[in-house]
Structures are given as C-alpha cells and as structure tokens.
Amino acid sequence: PWPHCVHGADPVGCRGRTVEPHPACLAHMDETDRAAYLAALAPGDAVDHRGTTFTANLLTQLLAALHDPATGRPRLGTARFDEATFSADARFSHVTFSAYARFDEATFSADAQFHRAVFSADAWFSGAVFSADAWFDEATFSADAQFDRAVFSADAQFSEATFSANAQFDQAVFSADAWFSEASFSANTTFVRAVFSANARFSRVTFSADARFSHVTFSAYARFSHVTFSANARFDVATFSADAQFSHVTFSANARFDEAVFSADAWFSEAVFSADAWFSGAVFSADAWFSGAVFSANAQFSGAVFSANAQFSRATFEAAAALGPLACGGELDLSAAVFSSPVTITAATADLRCQGTRWAAKAALRLRYATVDLSDAVCASPLIVTSRSAPFIGLWGEVDETVLGSHAPGVRMKSLSGVDAAYLVLTDIDMTYCQFSGTVHLDQLRLEGECTLAPAPTGVHRRGWLPVRWTPRRTLAEEQHWRAFRGATGWTAVPTDTDPVGPAVLAPVYRQLRKSLEDGKNEPDAADFYYGEMEMRRNDPARPFGERALLAVYWGISGYGLRASRALALLLLAMTGTILALMLWGLPADGPKPHTTGRLTGQQISLTTDTPAPLNPAGPLHDRLTSERAEKALRVVVNSVIFRSSGQDLTTAGTYTEMTSRLLEPVLLGLAVLAVRGRVKR
C-alpha cells in the first residue's frame, strides 16, 4: 500500500518504500542520491522505509544521519519500518523515537537491539519476526506498545523495561526464554493467547493496571515471584506445562486463575491476595503450594482438582466464606492455617491435615474420602465435621473425583490429640483409628450420626498361653495398640510413628467419652466406654492390689454390671448349687415333730415340749436326690433370691446354705437387671 521500489526480477520487484522523488528505496538508491538524502536529514525528522531491506551498514548510516549532538544519541520523529527486513544486527540501542514508531511485520534476521531505546509515542511491533535475540531491556515505552502476534524465535529480553501506557503481547510467540524481570507496566497489559515455549521470567515486575494472561500457554518454567499486581490479574484458562512460580506475589485486586491447567508444581507460597482469588475449575496435576499465602477476601476453589498434594499450611483466610468444593488426590494440608471468619470447607480428599489449624469463628468441614488429622487444632467456635455421601456440585457441575481412585468415600478421623473438644461436633465419622489421648474437654465432644469405633476381636484368641474370648464392645485405637503391644492377638498393631499409652492415660479418656454420651442422653452407647474405663482401671498396675482384685471379681461375675448373660449364668449356677446342697445336706429326712414330757406332783402336772433338731437322712447320697426333696430345695432357693424366708425346716448346713444364698443370689439378680436396664434405658 505504498509506492515501492521495482528493483529486481520479481514480478513485483523490491517492496521497499521509495525515497521521493527517487524511484528506488533506500537500499537500492545509487550512492550519490543516498548520500544526498542522508545529508538532508536532521535529528527528529520523520523516516518512512517500509518494506526496505537493511544491512548493518545501511542502518548505521541512517541512524548516524539522525544523531542528536545535544543528547549524544539518534533521535527519530515518525518512524515507519513496517515489513522492513533487517538482515544483520538491528542496532537501535539508545535511540529515541520522539513520535510513533512502527515495525509491524518487520523481520529481524539477526539480533534486534533496542537496549535503552526510548519510545515517546506509540511503538508498534505487531506481527514482527525476531529470528535471533530481541533486546528491549531498560527500554522506555511512554505510550502504547504493541507486540501482538510477534514471533520471538530466540531470547526476548525486556528486563527493566518501562511501559507507561498499554502493552499488548496478544498471540505473541516466545520460542526461547522471555525475560521481563523488574519491568514496570503502568497501564493495561495483555498477553492473551500468547505462547511461551521456553522459560518466562517476570520476577519483580510491577503491573500497575490490569494484566491479562488469559489462554496463555507456558510450555516451560513460568516465574512470577515477587511480582506486584496492583489491579486485576487474569490467568484464566492459562496452561502451565512446567513449574509455575508465583511465590511472594502481591495481588492487590482480583486474581483469576479459573480453569487454568498446572501440569507441574504450582507455587503460590507467601502470596498475598488482597481481593478475590478465583481458582474455580483449575486443574493441578502436581503439587500446589499455597503455604503462608494470605487470602483477604474470597478464596474461590469451586470445582478445582488437585491430582497430588495441596499445601495451605500457615495460610491466612481473613474473610473467605467457603473453600471448595474441590477434589484432592493427595494431602490437603491446612496445618497452622488461620480462618478468621465463618467458613465452610468442602473437599473430597484422601488426607486432610489440620494440625494446629485455628478457627476463630464457626466452621464446617464437609468431606468425602478423607482421613482427618485435627491434632492441636484450635476451635474458638463450633467446628462441625461431617461425612458427605453424595458427590459435591461446583460452579461447573459435579466435582471430578477420579483423582481419588478406588478410595472409600467415608471419612476417618486420625487424631484429636491436643484439641479442645468443647466446640467439636463429629457426624458420621469413622473413629476406628482415632487418637483421643491428650484431647481437652473430651466430655463435651458431640458424636452424631453413625460414628464407628474399633470393635474388640471376635472369636477365640491367645493371651500368652491362655485362650481367651474378648467381650464384644467398641474400643479406642489406643487400647487396641496397648493390648497388641502386650502380645494379645487380634488387636490392631501399634503404628510405627506412635508410642502406645497405658491404662492410666486411657481410663480418663474412656470416662470423659462416657460422660459425653450420657450428657447427650445416650446411656446405652455410653456403656461400652464405661466398660473400657473399668478395664483400664483393672489393668492399671499403679492402682492398689485390693482395688484391682475387687474390679476383677466385678468383671468376672457381671462384666462390670453390663453383661446380663454373665450374671444370669452365675445366678443359675449358684441356684443349682444351692439346690443340690440343700438336697444333699440341708433338708432333714423328716420334719421334726414336737415331743412333750411331764411329771405329776400331787395335783400339779409339769409339761415340757421340745422340737428335735432336723437330721440328715441316713444312707447313700444318691438316695437323697428325689423329686420331693428337689421341690422343697427349689422353693427355699427361689424365696432366698427375693429376700424372703421359706419357713422350711433345715439342718444346720442347710441354714448356712440358705443364708449364703440370700446374700449372693439377689446380688447376681440385681446385676443382671442392672445390665439389662443399661441397654434399654432411654
């Protein structure tokens, strides 16, 4: 679209802009005409050499003609180099472009050197091709800088460059390293659909206005550490194929990473999000690090998927109302994180680590698949941990849980050690492997729904050389470990990173859990914790021997008043023994009959009536085992159980047998009734 030189055999000829009034471009002018043209130029003059091919010598001559003695550097007015070809190094270093400069679709076959160049008006490099290194370090762009569709085949160096107006790199292609370290962007900056095939370095860059990296492809390392985004930062639908480094970045306005794809590690450690942070639908294929990050407003991770670990340790959430729903195939680490406002954390994750996490306001953890560690967590308000049966629904539909593989969707609690459980509510949580020792205010813990605990081993097992059958009941993981440590079979072994605790520690734990359920009017389920408490007291070697012996008897005859079958069996056995003892030795052969003797003295008679002592029948013992004697003995025993005297004449041995029966058998009956009452009490 300009008058062009017709030099050459091509049907079009040379495309260089003619230097009027000459018919040739600057490259094809004869030496005399070119010298005259150059001599006529003055600093600040406009030049138009579109389509012209420049050698190193030709460009040197042109810039020498525009040299400004006052500044010691070339100064151009309007500069038109559209579609120009620079066959050697293009040396524009320290050049001042006082009007707009256009290099649209120019071709730089060797190095393009714009080191410390000054562009006082618009600078256009749209569609330019840089086949070798492009040097714009410390360049100053006082007006718009357009590099959209530019192709950088070698290193692109923009370190410490200053962009005072809009900077546009949309659809630019960076095939080698791109350096923007310590550059300053004062107005809108866009890299929409740009491609970085090698390292992209934006360390310590300042973006004073909106920065858009939407749909950008980072095929290698992307470094944005210590960057300041003073306005909106958009990386939505960006693709990071290698490590993405955003450590110590400050986002003063909204930060959007919606549907971004991080194929390698993503680092946001110590980043500051002063406004909303959007990671909805983002995909993290490797570890994601948000350690020490500060979220001053919403932290939006709805539908985000973490294939590996998601690290939020020491992060601060000042006003986030929700975190998730998200899916994490590895560990979701919230250790030492701080939640200053009410929050709902919704996550499907293999592990949830909340060691030392602080919840200053009400919080709810709605989880799937997770193994939760709440060691040393601080709850200043109610904390509700709930297992969710149905998949979560995010902003883009159902959250992708395929990263969790074949894990069971239930939630398991690993540890409550060091937690103040006064505000803790657990609903439908598997407590089989939970560590309770060291929990504060455990008596105020609320267990809702179906919270399962480890069952005692079933069947016959070995304890030393003795076969034993354990009483069916719910137990704590610590008791399982302690018994396995002592050599009992069938119990869960002690984990390698855990030291077993003894009965002295476990007895108060069982007692507080029992009180927790009793306060919730759940006395039947509290019975197992009472049984566990008594077991620990009985097995505690620090307690007096007499107390342990008494507890052993209590355990043996009724299972601490909780096993009705044991008490009833002993009651039937005692009654049977009593009946046999009465039949054999307690009932006399015949009922003793009164015998009266007298003496007549004068007209007075003195009479004495005696009742002989009952005597055992003579003869073999088996002759005493008759149905008649059995019926009498049964009547005596039954009356004894309910504290009534039968009135039956008994031998001396029978009398003591009845006394013993009246003492022991009602106790056994009472223990059986107590056990039944404990299981059916409302």
Side-chain angles (χ1 to χ4, degrees):
W2 56 77
H4 61 278
C5 174
V6 295
H7 183 81
D10 186 274
V12 176
C14 173
R15 299 173 184 270
R17 175 72 161 84
T18 59
V19 179
E20 298 175 351
H22 306 286
C25 68
L26 184 62
H28 293 114
M29 295 174 66
D30 61 42
E31 293 295 334
T32 303
D33 292 340
R34 182 186 303 125
Y37 166 72
L38 294 175
L41 291 177
D45 281 353
V47 293
D48 186 351
H49 297 292
R50 288 173 283 180
T52 303
T53 299
F54 284 89
T55 62
N57 182 53
L58 182 60
L59 180 59
T60 300
Q61 293 179 43
L62 176 62
L63 295 179
L66 297 167
H67 184 80
D68 186 353
T71 61
R73 56 195 301 172
R75 179 166 59 89
L76 285 68
T78 300
R80 297 296 300 267
F81 292 92
D82 312 52
E83 299 186 40
T85 299
F86 298 88
S87 57
D89 288 351
R91 301 179 183 276
F92 288 92
S93 298
H94 300 277
V95 172
T96 298
F97 297 89
S98 55
Y100 72 81
R102 299 200 67 146
F103 289 83
D104 295 340
E105 300 187 50
T107 300
F108 297 87
S109 301
D111 287 354
Q113 299 183 13
F114 289 85
H115 173 68
R116 292 192 177 180
V118 175
F119 297 88
S120 301
D122 291 348
W124 296 74
F125 289 84
S126 300
V129 176
F130 299 87
S131 300
D133 292 345
W135 295 84
F136 289 86
D137 50 313
E138 299 185 64
T140 299
F141 297 87
S142 300
D144 291 350
Q146 297 282 347
F147 287 86
D148 52 298
R149 297 180 291 106
V151 176
F152 298 87
S153 300
D155 288 352
Q157 180 65 261
F158 288 86
S159 298
E160 299 184 61
T162 300
F163 297 85
S164 300
N166 297 329
Q168 183 173 331
F169 289 83
D170 297 346
Q171 301 183 58
V173 175
F174 299 86
S175 299
D177 289 351
W179 298 79
F180 288 85
S181 301
E182 299 186 56
S184 175
F185 296 87
S186 300
N188 293 335
T189 305
T190 62
F191 283 81
V192 176
R193 299 189 185 277
V195 175
F196 293 86
S197 299
N199 296 328
R201 303 175 183 272
F202 288 82
S203 300
R204 302 185 186 279
V205 172
T206 299
F207 295 93
S208 300
D210 289 351
R212 290 194 63 186
F213 289 82
S214 304
H215 298 272
V216 172
T217 299
F218 296 92
S219 299
Y221 183 45
R223 185 180 181 90
F224 286 82
S225 56
H226 296 88
V227 170
T228 299
F229 293 93
S230 300
N232 296 326
R234 297 197 61 168
F235 288 83
D236 42 312
V237 203
T239 300
F240 299 86
S241 300
D243 286 357
Q245 179 66 262
F246 287 86
S247 298
H248 299 276
V249 172
T250 299
F251 297 92
S252 300
N254 293 335
R256 301 200 71 120
F257 289 83
D258 299 331
E259 298 186 86
V261 176
F262 298 86
S263 299
D265 289 350
W267 297 83
F268 289 85
S269 303
E270 311 294 336
V272 176
F273 298 88
S274 299
D276 291 347
W278 292 80
F279 289 86
S280 300
V283 175
F284 299 85
S285 299
D287 290 345
W289 298 84
F290 291 85
S291 303
V294 176
F295 297 88
S296 299
N298 291 322
Q300 192 55 264
F301 285 83
S302 179
V305 176
F306 299 84
S307 298
N309 299 322
Q311 299 286 341
F312 288 86
S313 57
R314 299 181 290 103
T316 300
F317 298 86
E318 295 178 354
L323 182 62
L326 57 85
C328 179
E331 180 182 72
L332 176 58
D333 189 358
L334 298 176
S335 299
V338 177
F339 294 87
S340 302
S341 61
V343 65
T344 299
I345 300 174
T346 309
T349 177
D351 292 285
L352 177 60
R353 187 176 181 184
C354 297
Q355 294 181 341
T357 305
R358 297 177 61 87
W359 282 279
K362 183 178 180 180
L365 305 183
R366 298 174 182 173
L367 307 173
R368 284 170 57 80
Y369 299 94
T371 297
V372 185
D373 187 351
L374 287 178
S375 302
D376 301 313
V378 178
C379 311
S381 294
L383 173 63
I384 303 171
V385 184
T386 305
S387 176
R388 176 76 175 267
S389 59
F392 299 121
I393 305 298
L395 294 178
W396 279 272
E398 186 174 306
V399 177
D400 182 11
E401 297 180 351
T402 56
V403 294
L404 290 153
S406 58
H407 286 77
V411 178
R412 297 155 296 281
M413 186 63 66
K414 180 180 179 180
S415 176
L416 293 176
S417 180
V419 177
D420 186 343
Y423 294 106
L424 188 58
V425 180
L426 306 180
T427 303
D428 296 329
I429 305 299
D430 184 355
M431 313 292 290
T432 301
Y433 302 101
C434 181
Q435 300 284 329
F436 285 94
S437 56
T439 307
V440 181
H441 293 146
L442 193 56
D443 58 323
Q444 299 180 44
L445 173 67
R446 289 182 56 188
L447 300 177
E448 307 288 346
E450 186 178 356
C451 292
T452 58
L453 289 165
T458 58
V460 179
H461 294 268
R462 179 177 56 83
R463 184 170 63 183
W465 295 99
L466 297 176
V468 295
R469 180 180 179 277
W470 302 102
T471 301
R473 61 185 175 93
R474 297 184 300 169
T475 64
L476 301 184
E478 288 98 329
E479 182 183 351
Q480 295 264 341
H481 301 160
W482 172 72
R483 291 191 182 275
F485 182 75
R486 295 181 66 202
T489 60
W491 300 84
T492 304
V494 184
T496 55
D497 58 345
T498 303
D499 294 327
V501 295
V505 175
L506 292 179
V509 175
Y510 271 117
R511 179 163 53 251
Q512 292 184 69
L513 285 173
R514 170 179 62 83
K515 184 178 183 298
S516 172
L517 293 186
E518 289 176 347
D519 290 344
K521 305 303 180 183
N522 187 6
E523 296 191 6
D525 287 339
D528 283 347
F529 294 140
Y530 174 71
Y531 195 102
E533 175 192 353
M534 301 301 283
E535 278 287 276
M536 295 302 100
R537 290 175 58 189
R538 182 171 69 88
N539 288 279
D540 184 1
R543 293 185 177 274
F545 175 79
E547 178 184 346
R548 295 173 59 197
L550 180 62
L551 291 175
V553 173
Y554 191 22
W555 165 77
I557 63 176
S558 66
Y560 308 115
L562 297 174
R563 300 295 180 258
S565 58
R566 192 178 303 181
L568 289 174
L570 288 176
L571 175 61
L572 292 176
L573 182 63
M575 291 176 65
T576 302
T578 303
I579 290 172
L580 289 175
L582 290 176
M583 290 174 64
L584 294 174
W585 301 289
L587 295 175
D590 293 308
K593 298 178 181 179
H595 178 69
T596 302
T597 58
R599 183 174 57 184
L600 180 61
T601 304
Q603 294 185 358
Q604 293 182 350
I605 298 177
S606 297
L607 300 176
T608 302
T609 302
D610 293 324
T611 300
L615 300 175
N616 279 324
L621 293 178
H622 61 80
D623 290 342
R624 307 177 191 180
L625 303 176
T626 63
S627 58
E628 180 181 358
R629 292 174 64 81
E631 188 274 334
K632 291 182 180 180
L634 178 62
R635 187 168 58 247
V636 172
V637 171
V638 171
N639 284 326
S640 298
V641 171
I642 59 174
F643 294 94
R644 290 180 56 196
S645 176
S646 63
Q648 173 68 46
D649 292 324
L650 299 174
T651 63
T652 302
T655 299
Y656 283 104
T657 300
E658 183 188 30
M659 292 170 61
T660 304
S661 173
R662 291 177 63 186
L663 175 65
L664 296 180
E665 291 168 6
V667 173
L668 294 174
L669 178 62
L671 291 174
V673 172
L674 178 65
V676 173
R677 175 59 174 161
R679 290 299 182 183
V680 300
K681 186 175 182 180
R682 296 178 57 187

